[in-house]
């Protein structure tokens, strides 16, 4: 803005209100030196300042006191270590208890298993034994056919070899 | 004692001390912090809602939200911008609800600003009514961003940097919106003649 008779246009005045530093050096120096442009800017500025003042004047005062929400948990930072320590102790106790319980139960389980194995072995022995029944019951048991000797059986059901030889 | 540090004359230091104490669980500091910004936040809300009753309710909500979320504030230096952001968000929610209600025809259309409860003469009352009427007429012509920037700058008296922090925008964006808003303000004869008339 080399021509001194030239003044800032409306946009430049508005830009200077938004931020004077955004204007070019030429315009800034003109604004500093030119009373006409300064007056334009000042008039607009005082209108805007007055707008703020009037808004403030015409705003009623609040009737209620502000209510704030005070949280006890604000002490959380202090209580946190205590709380964490409590949790840790409970966890340790739980771990120890479960360890003890687990060990006991494993012993019990081993004992039970060995008892079952013994019972199974006994049963297998009984099955494998030729005459597990006492002597007294052998006569009435279905499986007791000890009085059929080999000769009798040979007579009832001769072997194939013997048929062929006849 | 912690409270002794609040007796300082430096407002920034005082605010910082209050914030620190309030964050560490001092109830008195929290209450003092709220009362320090009470009038300012009430004004912010009233200018945007135009109703004293709604402004009272919203201001309460804002301070409750402030006290609830004070722990989340990362930089205490940004407290004012943070509080303004809470206020603006609450006002935006309020307008959203209000427009939904008026859409559902459960309430009448947006009312004009209620006159303040202060007793004053008839001329003041007329002036006040006319001012808010012209003010809202202008702000309705502005886009949302332009309106926010304009009101924050000239009614709430915030600096460009503070506005940028509050709206989480860059300073150049704020300046652009401000420039556009000022252009529309220049073309608002009603409000400008009212301002000129009361200036002279």
């Amino acid at each position: 803005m080399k021509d001194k008779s030239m003044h800032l246009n409306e946009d430049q005045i508005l830009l200077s209100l938004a931020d004077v530093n955004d204007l070019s050096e030429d315009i800034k120096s003109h604004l500093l030196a030119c009373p006409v442009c300064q007056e334009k800017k000042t008039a607009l500025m005082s209108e805007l300042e007055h707008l703020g003042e009037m808004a403030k004047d015409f705003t009623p005062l609040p009737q209620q006191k502000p209510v704030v929400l005070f949280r006890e948990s604000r002490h959380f930072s202090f209580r946190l270590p205590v709380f964490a320590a409590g949790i840790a102790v409970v966890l340790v106790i739980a771990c120890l208890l479960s360890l003890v319980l687990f060990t006991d139960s494993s012993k019990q389980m081993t004992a039970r298993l060995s008892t079952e194995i013994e019972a199974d072995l006994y049963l297998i022995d009984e099955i494998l034994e030729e005459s597990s029944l006492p002597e007294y019951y052998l006569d009435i048991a279905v499986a007791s056919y000890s009085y059929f000797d080999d000769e009798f059986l040979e007579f009832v059901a001769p072997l194939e070899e013997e048929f062929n030889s006849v | 004692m912690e409270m002794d540090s609040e007796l300082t004359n430096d407002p920034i230091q005082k605010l910082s001390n209050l914030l620190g104490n309030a964050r560490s669980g001092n109830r008195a500091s929290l209450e003092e912090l709220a009362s320090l910004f009470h009038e300012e936040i009430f004004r912010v809300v009233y200018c945007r809602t135009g109703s004293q009753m709604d402004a009272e309710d919203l201001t309460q909500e804002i301070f409750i939200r402030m006290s609830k979320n004070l722990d989340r504030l990362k930089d205490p230096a940004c407290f004012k911008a943070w509080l303004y952001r809470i206020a603006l968000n609450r006002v935006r929610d309020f307008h959203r609800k209000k427009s939904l209600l008026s859409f559902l025809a459960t309430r009448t259309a947006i009312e004009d600003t209620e006159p303040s409860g202060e007793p004053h003469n008839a001329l003041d009352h007329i002036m006040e009514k006319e001012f808010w009427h012209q003010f809202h007429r202008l702000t309705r012509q502005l886009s949302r961003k332009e309106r926010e920037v304009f009101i924050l700058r000239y009614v709430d008296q915030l600096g460009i940097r503070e506005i940028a922090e509050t709206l989480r925008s860059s300073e150049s964006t704020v300046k652009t919106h401000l420039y556009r808003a000022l252009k529309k303000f220049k073309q608002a004869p009603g409000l400008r003649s009212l301002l000129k008339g009361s200036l002279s």
Side-chain angles (χ1 to χ4, degrees):
Chain A
M1 194 161 281
K2 282 165 187 163
D3 190 353
K4 297 275 180 188
S5 62
M6 291 284 281
H7 294 293
L8 265 67
N9 62 31
E10 209 171 85
D11 281 355
Q12 286 166 332
I13 296 281
L14 294 178
L15 270 172
S16 75
L17 281 172
D19 192 358
V20 76
N21 295 321
D22 285 352
L23 297 170
S24 66
E25 285 302 317
D26 273 1
I27 296 171
K28 256 197 277 186
S29 51
H30 174 85
L31 189 61
L32 278 170
C34 177
V36 179
C37 293
Q38 269 184 15
E39 200 187 319
K40 275 187 193 172
K41 188 187 169 181
T42 313
L44 202 57
M45 261 175 75
S46 40
E47 270 181 48
L48 290 162
E49 276 168 19
H50 196 53
L51 173 84
E53 284 163 15
M54 281 180 93
K56 199 174 174 179
D57 290 345
F58 293 144
T59 300
L61 288 170
Q63 302 296 310
Q64 298 165 8
K65 272 188 79 180
V67 176
V68 289
L69 200 73
F70 185 73
R71 291 185 303 163
E72 289 296 330
S73 58
R74 281 178 190 286
H75 297 291
F76 194 66
S77 55
F78 165 71
R79 287 182 183 172
L80 185 66
V82 179
F83 184 69
I87 294 257
V89 167
V90 168
L91 281 174
V92 167
I93 290 169
C95 282
L96 287 172
L97 272 173
S98 67
L99 209 65
V100 169
L101 287 171
F102 179 72
T103 314
D104 274 7
S105 65
S106 73
K107 274 180 184 170
Q108 281 171 355
M109 197 180 280
T110 313
R112 197 172 65 239
L113 278 173
S114 61
T115 314
E116 277 173 11
I117 288 166
E118 273 175 28
D120 287 348
L121 286 172
Y122 182 73
L123 188 67
I124 289 164
D125 283 348
E126 272 188 344
I127 291 164
L128 291 175
E129 219 174 285
E130 274 187 23
S131 55
S132 55
L133 286 171
E135 200 70 32
Y136 176 75
Y137 295 107
L138 279 174
D139 290 341
I140 56 170
V142 177
S144 81
Y145 43 81
S146 55
Y147 45 79
F148 293 121
D149 54 4
D150 285 349
E151 199 180 339
F152 177 74
L153 287 172
E154 196 65 38
F155 172 73
V156 175
L159 285 171
E160 209 171 317
E161 287 170 14
E162 285 175 359
F163 269 112
N164 292 339
S165 66
V166 171
Chain B
M1 202 176 155
E2 280 176 336
M3 294 295 285
D4 292 342
S5 58
E6 287 166 24
L7 299 172
T8 175
N9 287 326
D10 181 13
I12 298 167
Q13 187 61 45
K14 188 186 174 185
L15 179 64
S16 173
N17 291 341
L18 275 175
L19 262 171
N21 292 340
R23 277 154 74 108
S24 61
N26 188 311
R27 194 194 177 103
S29 298
L30 188 65
E31 281 171 349
E32 200 181 332
L33 196 65
S35 63
L36 200 68
F37 285 93
H38 186 216
E39 223 179 290
E40 194 173 330
I41 293 299
F42 177 82
R43 202 182 312 128
V44 166
V45 179
Y46 182 81
C47 286
R48 288 159 177 85
T49 59
S51 156
Q52 183 164 8
M53 231 163 63
D54 291 333
E56 295 272 9
D57 292 346
L58 286 172
T59 307
Q60 292 293 359
E61 279 180 41
I62 290 160
F63 282 106
I64 287 172
R65 201 162 281 203
M66 177 206 85
S67 47
K68 258 185 179 174
N69 298 304
L70 204 59
D71 294 334
R72 288 192 199 169
L73 176 66
K74 284 168 194 161
D75 184 8
C78 299
F79 174 75
K80 193 175 171 180
W82 177 75
L83 187 60
Y84 266 68
R85 199 156 50 237
I86 295 176
L88 296 183
N89 286 337
R90 283 303 301 123
V91 170
R92 201 173 305 148
D93 289 347
F94 166 80
H95 283 303
R96 219 172 272 154
K97 273 183 201 166
K98 199 169 176 176
S99 57
L100 185 71
L101 285 170
S102 64
F103 175 74
L104 297 170
T106 51
R107 274 179 77 161
T108 51
I110 297 164
E111 309 128 29
D112 271 343
T113 308
E114 294 165 8
S116 60
E118 309 262 316
H120 44 214
N121 62 43
L123 190 65
D124 281 350
H125 179 74
I126 293 166
M127 190 75 169
E128 181 184 331
K129 223 178 160 189
E130 183 60 18
F131 170 77
W132 286 120
H133 172 71
Q134 293 295 343
F135 178 79
H136 289 304
R137 204 170 148 189
L138 166 72
T139 54
R140 273 196 288 267
Q141 285 169 18
L142 305 176
S143 73
R144 192 171 65 81
K145 285 274 181 190
E146 286 166 7
R147 182 168 55 241
E148 278 311 339
V149 169
F150 182 78
I151 300 177
L152 283 169
R153 180 74 190 95
Y154 295 112
V155 178
D156 304 321
Q157 318 269 316
L158 261 61
I160 299 288
R161 188 182 289 178
E162 277 181 308
I163 298 171
E165 274 175 15
T166 305
L167 300 177
R168 283 181 171 154
S169 314
S170 67
E171 286 187 32
S172 60
T173 310
V174 169
K175 284 177 202 168
T176 308
H177 288 307
L178 189 61
Y179 167 74
R180 286 180 194 156
L182 282 169
K183 255 191 146 175
K184 288 178 186 169
F185 169 75
K186 269 221 94 172
Q187 290 154 7
L191 182 62
R192 287 193 67 200
S193 63
L194 187 82
L195 292 168
K196 276 179 191 164
S198 64
L199 264 173
S200 57

